[in-house]
Amino acid sequence: MAALSCSAADLSPFLGGDTNATAAAAYICGRFDAVSNKFIDTAFAVDTTYLLFSAYLVFAMQLGFAMLCAGSVRAKNTMNIMLTNVIDAAAGGLFYYLFGFAFAFGTPSNGFIGRHFFGLKRFPSASFDYSYFLYQWCFAIAAAGITSGSIAERTQFVAYLIYSSFLTGFVYPVVSHWFWSSDGWASAARVNSLLFGSGVIDFAGSGVVHMVGGIAGLWGALIEGPRIGRFDHNGKPVPLRGHNGTLVVLGTFLLWFGWYGFNAGSFLNILKAYGESGSFYGQWSAVGRTAVTTTLAGSTAALTTLFGKRLLVDHWNLTDVCNGLLGGFAAITSGCSVVDPWAAIICGFVAAWVLIGLNVLAEKFNYDDPLEAAQLHAGCGAWGIIFTGLFAKKQYVNEIYTGLPGRPYGLLMGGGLRLIAAHVVQILVVAGWVSATMGTLFAMLHKLKLLRISHEDEAAGMDVTSHGGYAYHDDDDDDRTKKSGIMMRMVAEQTATTRSPYQLPV
Amino acid sequence: MLCAGSVRAKNAMNIMLTNVVDAVVGSISYFLFGFAFAFGSSSNPFIGTDFFALKDIPSSSYDYSFFLYQWAFAIAVAGITSGSIAERTQFSAYLIFSFFLTGFVYPIVAHWVWSSSGWLSPSLASSSLLFGSGAIDFAGSGVVHLVGGIAGLWGSFIEGPRVGRFDAFGKAVPMRGHNATLVVLGTFLLWFGWFGFNPGSFDKILVAYPNTTGQGNWTAVGRTAVTTTLAGSTAGIVTLFGRRLLVGHWDALDVCNGLLGGFVAITSGCSVVEPWAAIVCGFFAAWVLIGLNILAIKLQFDDPLEATQLHGGCGAWGLIFTGLFAKKEFVLQAYDSGESGIVRPYGLFLGGGWGLLGAQVVEVLVIVGWVSVTMGPLFYGLHKLGVLRISREDEVMGLDISSHGGYAYNAHPEETGPRFYGEYVRLQAKS
């Protein structure tokens, strides 16, 4: 803001240099400073509004995932999966507030884990305001939601509570510390000792969020085993269709909508010029471009899946297209801000095939994931990380990560091997850390017989065994199919003759 | 969505139409005179007297955006009440009560607490503040939720329980809603919208606080979103475990209602309490709701959406909570633009004296009283005229078929054709 400062001592000579001039200069500079402060206030207000609204959009993704999950499972398990989504949000809120946020962003600390702001103590600080906490909270609960899809329809509710709290309160925050905190050992925003002189660019979390959720889900589903009836005695897959395609689409569109907060909002502020003030190009342009890359990646992935599956299974499959769409989004999440729109198309195209391929592989290995969450989020997420290492554009990288001029960028754009090498490291450490923590947790829960429900409960459905009843009640206490004939006649007679004179026409 | 999922399938059209109508009828009445009664800038402490049909708007104090924001609040109130009287009320009664509640009863309360001249307002000149404090109901635990809840209480009480809700021995018979997915959808949408309901009540975000570094309404807005989230989350979790203890299973629908109860309670003090206090708020809101539900069953009070217990009960708790936990610095931020050096009461447990709590108690009492003397006689009058409750036959058949032209769901029994793609392909191959 050098241009917005005013020095009375410098101004006074221009006005003549006498006492009147000094007073005039002081007056003018005082007014100038007031205006400048107003701009500073305005920037806070605009940026906070932007970040808060992005947070609300990411929260809407929770709703979208709840609907996607509900539609993708069988009707007898609907209450269960939706309750897990609600509790992910509520329990996640509490634990992330108590210590998750501190582990993630409690600077100054070390490269591995944070150690300030437990329970938002000494908040707001110079670096973080409440809007930032809320935004990060929304991301945290998204990660736990992903995992619940992999272990749906056969997991004890107690196990959900335990894994969800552990994931949102510890496993996920530590990962986000590594890649997103200015202290994190692999962060691209570090001021010194960058990993491979580059750091990792995982802008909105293909690795931090999607891979973490997906790998955790992978272990849960592997340890639990497939749902009863999912693979027959010959190991051939039996489709267990979800009960409501409309909910799947509703959920997918809500997730799409929320993704504009997930990706574009990860800039955290919007009122920032790149270079000199007064140009039409600034962070606001990058925000818009990120929304465009997000859209293109998802759309391309969806179309590729549409035609790809048409070739493979001979019909146009809606749920596959929805999942393909989400896979495209999960992949572009890492590089959404640092690639050109045309590159996003490539990202989506490959993401679709990654998902299709991983699904084929899963069936071969008798791996059952009701929401394809591990294949989609871990698989497409990992592809997205590689993609960024290949296609990150020099100009965008340097505009966003300003601490190191001439830093590495995408391999295929001429930026060298260091960025992609750092990204390979990201995939390995995320897979390793999540496997070590969540894999162990799920194994322990399994050993304690707290993980999978009994065969009888699974056959009957979790809603009626653990949640007090079915989600859907079409029949009433009074069975109208039996009596409807008679009742209809009674109603007809009544409307004709017995209406009270005071009754208004219905 | 919450209402739709919580009632029986045969009444889904009815309850959804009432929600639509609450909005549209409320728009007209609030535009014509509701907004005027609420915010008409006279110096009358009880009722506003100008801006009828938005005459003289925009003014120096209010622009269209403010009207629209207040309109959104107003139509929420009638929606609350319609939940209490669901599944057994004549549609014409809905039209009448909704018009009256949104156009008159609610705006008067809003005037008392939220207009710059209302007698309960915390924004009056300091010598006129009630108990030197005024009542702090930032986004309306009292003004919106308690009003809607008490109105629902009278409607539901005068109408009586739904047919079959209590058996011959007075025991409660569960009447489950027809679609839990809609209930969860509705709950999440409400959670999403609450980020506008609570933080948005600052009206302006670009207000700097003097004597701070870079803090202003933008800070408080973010903090309000955080307190809202924590209160709801805590209430949801406490309800999860509380009901697990009481009924032996994990109940998704109860958790949804518990969440909403937490939001309702924090609505009053969302801007003036610390995040840790919001956790306390949510914790007790859950128990208030569970307790009132048990009481309702004992008293044979039937509220299909638990609206009275949730909005009325948790709303009242929220007002008291604010009187206990409001922080001095935040009260000054919300009501004096962060000026320091002003002396006014704040939360009792934080050392702020009895002034604020006293004003909160007064707010609870006058709201209960005012809504009872207006909506009580209205519902009673409708009842006496025979236009409140539907007939028993209509109730058993369902409102959709008797008053709304047909069921919401037209289930076609599956045709005899193939249900899965594999069968379809085999059939094609054969022919």
Side-chain angles (χ1 to χ4, degrees):
Chain A
M1 291 262 212
L4 285 181
S5 64
C6 182
S7 158
D10 288 348
L11 180 55
S12 172
F14 289 109
L15 299 173
D18 58 5
T19 40
N20 267 348
T22 317
Y27 178 86
I28 291 173
C29 279
R31 289 291 168 280
F32 210 85
D33 285 341
V35 172
S36 176
N37 281 334
K38 196 68 185 175
F39 272 118
I40 295 175
D41 291 346
T42 307
F44 278 126
V46 167
D47 286 333
T48 302
T49 305
Y50 176 70
L51 188 58
L52 279 176
F53 273 88
S54 297
Y56 306 154
L57 281 177
V58 178
F59 180 72
M61 293 173 81
Q62 199 68 17
L63 165 59
F65 200 68
M67 293 301 109
L68 179 72
C69 283
S72 300
V73 302
R74 290 163 293 177
K76 63 188 184 186
N77 293 315
T78 311
M79 291 272 249
N80 171 261
I81 192 94
M82 287 195 299
L83 182 60
T84 65
N85 273 289
V86 173
I87 292 300
D88 281 338
L94 213 49
F95 287 117
Y96 199 68
Y97 161 79
L98 288 173
F99 36 82
F101 183 78
F103 289 149
F105 296 102
T107 51
S109 68
N110 57 60
F112 179 73
I113 193 170
R115 54 190 175 86
H116 299 279
F117 307 136
F118 288 93
L120 290 188
K121 198 158 147 232
R122 276 198 275 281
F123 219 74
S125 75
S127 18
F128 298 127
D129 202 345
Y130 289 105
S131 45
Y132 185 76
F133 167 78
L134 199 79
Y135 189 67
Q136 294 301 334
W137 163 74
C138 291
F139 272 64
I141 61 180
I146 292 168
T147 313
S148 67
S150 297
I151 57 177
E153 301 208 82
R154 57 209 192 286
T155 309
Q156 292 184 43
F157 195 70
V158 167
Y160 273 117
L161 290 172
I162 295 173
Y163 102 73
S164 175
S165 319
F166 186 55
L167 186 68
T168 316
F170 179 63
V171 177
Y172 163 80
V174 168
V175 177
S176 62
H177 185 83
W178 297 345
F179 299 104
W180 285 346
S181 162
S182 51
D183 274 352
W185 64 272
S187 165
R190 265 183 90 86
V191 289
N192 49 30
S193 332
L194 287 157
L195 175 69
F196 300 154
S198 165
V200 168
I201 295 179
D202 188 3
F203 191 69
S206 292
V208 179
V209 179
H210 295 282
M211 266 196 78
V212 168
I215 300 285
L218 174 72
W219 283 105
L222 270 177
I223 289 170
E224 274 194 326
R227 288 169 288 176
I228 295 174
R230 175 75 176 102
F231 297 101
D232 63 19
H233 331 282
N234 302 316
K236 260 189 75 194
V238 175
L240 291 179
R241 291 172 70 86
H243 82 280
N244 192 325
T246 310
L247 286 178
V248 169
V249 174
L250 174 66
T252 303
F253 267 127
L254 278 166
L255 283 165
W256 187 344
F257 178 62
W259 230 293
Y260 290 119
F262 202 88
N263 284 3
S266 290
F267 279 94
L268 306 178
N269 50 42
I270 190 168
L271 182 51
K272 185 162 152 193
Y274 290 149
E276 286 306 308
S277 264
S279 151
F280 65 84
Y281 181 69
Q283 189 121 297
W284 48 87
S285 322
V287 164
R289 185 183 66 236
T290 304
V292 170
T293 54
T294 302
T295 308
L296 285 173
S299 305
T300 310
L303 273 174
T304 310
T305 310
L306 178 73
F307 289 107
K309 292 297 278 190
R310 173 72 177 79
L311 286 172
L312 290 171
V313 303
D314 274 340
H315 63 268
W316 313 98
N317 190 308
L318 172 68
T319 32
D320 285 339
V321 167
C322 287
N323 280 318
L325 182 69
L326 297 176
F329 289 140
I332 195 61
T333 293
S334 152
C336 50
S337 59
V338 293
V339 302
D340 270 322
W342 60 260
I345 294 179
I346 296 176
C347 179
F349 181 79
V350 175
W353 291 112
V354 166
L355 182 59
I356 289 175
L358 286 176
N359 278 334
V360 168
L361 205 67
E363 282 192 345
K364 274 205 176 13
F365 283 105
N366 285 11
Y367 169 77
D368 178 29
D369 189 322
L371 271 289
E372 314 178 355
Q375 298 90 302
L376 203 161
H377 294 272
C380 295
W383 154 242
I385 294 170
I386 299 297
F387 162 79
T388 309
L390 296 172
F391 287 92
K393 184 164 163 171
K394 176 169 162 180
Q395 174 195 349
Y396 303 152
V397 168
N398 283 297
E399 278 165 359
I400 297 171
Y401 299 98
T402 48
L404 180 70
R407 64 188 307 144
Y409 50 101
L411 173 66
L412 297 180
M413 312 290 282
L417 282 165
R418 286 184 283 159
L419 181 63
I420 191 156
H423 281 212
V424 169
V425 168
Q426 180 187 23
I427 293 178
L428 295 172
V429 297
V430 169
W433 166 254
V434 178
S435 301
T437 48
M438 297 303 288
T440 312
L441 177 73
F442 281 125
M444 260 173 35
L445 289 171
H446 179 64
K447 276 269 172 279
L448 293 170
K449 299 214 189 314
L450 287 173
L451 188 58
R452 189 156 181 166
I453 59 178
S454 69
H455 281 22
E456 296 80 21
D457 284 357
E458 190 170 333
M462 294 193 66
D463 289 1
V464 75
T465 56
S466 325
H467 296 290
Y470 291 116
Y472 302 101
H473 294 88
D474 300 314
D475 307 311
D476 281 336
D477 323 321
D478 14 304
D479 187 354
R480 73 170 180 258
T481 54
K482 281 199 201 131
K483 298 183 205 156
S484 56
I486 305 166
M487 295 303 276
M488 292 295 287
R489 283 205 293 279
M490 276 177 64
V491 168
E493 283 165 25
Q494 187 159 43
T495 50
T497 57
T498 55
R499 182 164 292 169
S500 135
Y502 292 119
Q503 210 166 9
L504 296 172
V506 190
Chain B
M1 291 303 107
L2 182 72
C3 283
S6 299
V7 301
R8 288 163 294 176
K10 63 190 185 186
N11 294 314
M13 293 275 245
N14 171 263
I15 192 103
M16 286 194 294
L17 184 59
T18 68
N19 273 291
V20 174
V21 156
D22 281 339
V24 303
V25 162
S27 303
I28 304 299
S29 62
Y30 197 68
F31 165 76
L32 286 175
F33 37 82
F35 181 76
F37 289 148
F39 293 100
S41 54
S42 60
S43 47
N44 186 318
F46 294 104
I47 190 170
T49 52
D50 47 327
F51 302 143
F52 288 94
L54 291 188
K55 185 162 168 293
D56 297 326
I57 292 281
S59 75
S60 55
S61 3
Y62 301 128
D63 201 343
Y64 289 110
S65 49
F66 183 75
F67 165 77
L68 199 75
Y69 188 68
Q70 293 300 331
W71 160 82
F73 273 67
I75 59 177
V77 185
I80 292 168
T81 311
S82 64
S84 297
I85 56 178
E87 301 209 82
R88 59 212 193 284
T89 307
Q90 291 184 43
F91 196 70
S92 37
Y94 275 113
L95 292 170
I96 294 169
F97 105 74
S98 172
F99 189 79
F100 186 58
L101 183 66
T102 314
F104 180 65
V105 178
Y106 159 79
I108 300 296
V109 180
H111 185 87
W112 295 347
V113 185
W114 286 343
S115 92
S116 48
S117 51
W119 65 278
L120 275 172
S121 164
S123 305
L124 297 174
S126 57
S127 49
S128 324
L129 290 166
L130 178 70
F131 303 153
S133 167
I136 292 180
D137 190 5
F138 191 71
S141 293
V143 179
V144 176
H145 297 282
L146 187 58
V147 167
I150 297 294
L153 170 70
W154 284 106
S156 187
F157 174 66
I158 287 169
E159 274 192 331
R162 288 168 288 178
V163 169
R165 175 72 173 112
F166 295 101
D167 64 19
F169 304 102
K171 249 189 79 179
V173 174
M175 283 190 164
R176 294 181 69 85
H178 81 283
N179 192 326
T181 309
L182 288 178
V183 171
V184 172
L185 175 66
T187 302
F188 265 128
L189 279 168
L190 284 165
W191 189 339
F192 179 71
W194 232 294
F195 286 125
F197 202 90
N198 284 2
S201 291
F202 276 94
D203 297 336
K204 290 189 184 56
I205 191 166
L206 182 47
V207 173
Y209 297 148
N211 306 321
T212 60
T213 39
Q215 285 199 31
N217 266 6
W218 51 85
T219 315
V221 162
R223 189 183 63 234
T224 305
V226 171
T227 55
T228 303
T229 306
L230 286 172
S233 300
T234 309
I237 296 171
V238 171
T239 309
L240 177 76
F241 288 107
R243 294 294 286 173
R244 173 74 176 81
L245 284 172
L246 290 171
V247 303
H249 64 262
W250 312 96
D251 196 308
L253 303 178
D254 283 341
V255 167
C256 288
N257 279 319
L259 260 171
L260 296 176
F263 290 136
V264 165
I266 195 61
T267 294
S268 153
C270 49
S271 59
V272 295
V273 301
E274 292 269 26
W276 62 259
I279 295 178
V280 174
C281 180
F283 181 85
F284 285 104
W287 291 113
V288 165
L289 181 59
I290 289 175
L292 286 177
N293 278 334
I294 293 173
L295 192 67
I297 288 182
K298 271 204 177 15
L299 297 175
Q300 302 209 354
F301 173 75
D302 179 30
D303 188 322
L305 272 290
E306 321 180 347
T308 301
Q309 298 91 298
L310 205 161
H311 295 270
C314 294
W317 154 241
L319 285 172
I320 303 298
F321 159 79
T322 308
L324 298 171
F325 287 91
K327 183 167 162 160
K328 174 162 92 166
E329 180 195 341
F330 298 163
V331 171
L332 294 178
Q333 285 177 0
Y335 294 102
D336 295 298
S337 301
E339 294 282 344
S340 45
I342 298 183
V343 175
R344 62 187 299 158
Y346 51 100
L348 175 68
F349 289 167
L350 271 59
W354 293 88
L356 177 60
L357 183 63
Q360 303 296 94
V361 169
V362 167
E363 183 183 340
V364 172
L365 294 173
V366 295
I367 286 178
V368 171
W370 166 250
V371 177
S372 300
V373 305
T374 46
M375 297 305 288
L378 175 74
F379 280 122
Y380 190 69
L382 291 173
H383 174 65
K384 272 285 178 245
L385 291 173
V387 297
L388 185 59
R389 189 161 180 161
I390 60 179
S391 69
R392 289 181 79 84
E393 291 78 15
D394 282 356
E395 188 170 334
V396 169
M397 276 311 297
L399 276 158
D400 291 1
I401 190 80
S402 55
S403 324
H404 295 291
Y407 295 116
Y409 301 97
N410 298 293
H412 303 290
E414 288 302 326
E415 294 89 3
T416 49
R419 285 205 67 211
F420 294 105
Y421 185 65
E423 298 166 30
Y424 173 77
V425 168
R426 276 195 288 278
L427 271 170
Q428 298 301 98
K430 276 194 209 150
S431 62

